[in-house]
Amino acid sequence: GDSVTQMEGPVTLSEEAFLTINCTYTATGYPSLFWYVQYPGEGLQLLLKATKADDKGSNKGFEATYRKETTSFHLEKGSVQVSDSAVYFCALKIRGGGSQGNLIFGKGTKLSVKP
Amino acid sequence: EAEVAQSPRYKITEKSQAVAFWCDPISGHATLYWYRQILGQGPELLVQFQDESVVDDSQLPKDRFSAERLKGVDSTLKIQPAELGDSAMYLCASSLSWGELFFGEGSRLTVL
C-alpha cells in the first residue's frame, strides 16, 4: 500500500547548520507530496508541497524536490534557526482513488536547534 | 485568519468512560477529517466526511468509535468505552474539495 518513510529523529543541530531530513515514499498512483511542521503545543501547518515530478516546493528557507526516479522528497534548509525547532512530517496524497484528499504521513522527525 | 476549532484541548478520563471531541471546520470547507496521532508517530486517518456523508471510515474502530457531521458543518467524534490504548492526540482538519488541509490544534486524550 501507499506509505511514507522518513528518517528517525531526534535531530539536534547548532544554529546556522545545514539541515536535511530524508523522506521516501511508496505509492500506487500519482502522489502529491508535502512537508508539514508541528511546533510545540500547536497543530500541523503546511510547510511546502510539490504536485508533480521535478517540482520544487519552498517556503521560509526550506526546500524539497519531488524526485520520481528515487521516490524521494528530502527536506533541506541551508541555515537553521532556533525557531525551526519542531516536528516535521512528510506526507503524500494520491490523486484519485477512494479516499480522495486523504494525507498519508510519515512518523515525523523531531528537530532541535541549539543556539 | 480562519481556523479549525477543536475542543476540548485536553481530556483525562478513566477507561470504560465515554469521551467526545468537537470540531468546527473553516467556514465553507466541505471536507472534514479526523486523524489520530499516537505519541511519536504520524497522524492516521480515522474518518473523512464530504459534507454530511462519510467518504472513508475504514480505519475507524467502529465497535467503540463513532463520528457524525449531521448538518455538514461541525463534527463530533465519540469513544465509548475508552481504552488505555486510545490515549493520543485527535486532530481535526478541513479543506475545500481537493484542496490544502488545514489542521486544528488537536485534542489530547489521556486514558487512565
Side-chain angles (χ1 to χ4, degrees):
Chain A
D2 304 322
S3 65
V4 174
T5 302
Q6 59 181 106
M7 66 185 284
E8 303 245 346
V11 174
T12 303
L13 295 173
S14 298
E15 205 165 24
E16 299 184 0
F18 184 85
L19 168 71
T20 300
I21 300 178
N22 290 337
C23 171
T24 57
Y25 67 90
T26 302
T28 53
Y30 300 95
S32 296
L33 300 173
F34 305 81
W35 278 99
Y36 278 80
V37 58
Q38 188 173 34
Y39 297 103
E42 299 184 14
L44 277 74
Q45 302 173 26
L46 178 64
L47 181 60
L48 54 84
K49 67 180 181 182
T51 58
K52 62 183 187 297
D54 300 325
D55 269 1
K56 177 185 283 188
S58 61
N59 186 25
K60 299 181 181 180
F62 291 88
E63 293 183 340
T65 301
Y66 188 146
R67 301 287 188 199
K68 187 178 178 181
E69 63 276 12
T70 54
T71 61
S72 65
F73 193 55
H74 304 321
L75 181 68
E76 296 182 336
K77 187 175 185 182
S79 177
V80 293
Q81 305 300 311
V82 172
S83 57
D84 294 326
S85 297
V87 181
Y88 292 82
F89 293 92
C90 186
L92 67 81
K93 181 165 70 173
I94 300 294
R95 295 192 287 277
S99 299
Q100 298 176 16
N102 173 33
L103 287 166
I104 297 170
F105 288 89
K107 291 187 176 182
T109 303
K110 183 176 182 180
L111 170 66
S112 296
V113 180
K114 305 299 183 185
Chain B
E1 183 176 306
E3 294 181 344
V4 176
Q6 289 189 246
S7 67
R9 287 291 308 277
Y10 304 94
K11 178 69 177 180
I12 300 173
T13 191
E14 293 185 345
K15 63 180 181 179
S16 81
Q17 296 299 303
V19 61
F21 303 109
W22 176 80
C23 173
D24 190 13
I26 293 172
S27 178
H29 281 193
T31 311
L32 185 147
Y33 311 79
W34 283 102
Y35 286 85
R36 178 170 60 185
Q37 184 181 12
I38 296 171
L39 188 65
Q41 298 186 20
E44 295 180 329
L45 181 71
L46 290 174
V47 61
Q48 177 182 347
F49 289 92
Q50 181 69 25
D51 299 310
E52 67 276 7
S53 300
V54 173
V55 173
D56 183 358
D57 63 356
S58 58
Q59 299 304 309
L60 188 71
K62 298 182 187 65
D63 56 335
R64 297 183 301 106
F65 286 65
S66 64
E68 61 183 18
R69 193 184 185 198
L70 294 176
K71 297 184 178 179
V73 181
D74 59 338
S75 175
T76 302
L77 177 69
K78 297 179 180 178
I79 308 173
Q80 182 173 16
E83 296 182 353
L84 295 177
D86 297 332
S87 295
M89 177 77 84
Y90 291 84
L91 295 166
C92 180
S94 71
S95 71
L96 296 169
S97 296
W98 302 99
E100 174 186 343
L101 273 69
F102 293 85
F103 285 82
E105 293 186 324
S107 295
R108 182 171 295 281
L109 173 65
T110 301
V111 182
L112 303 175

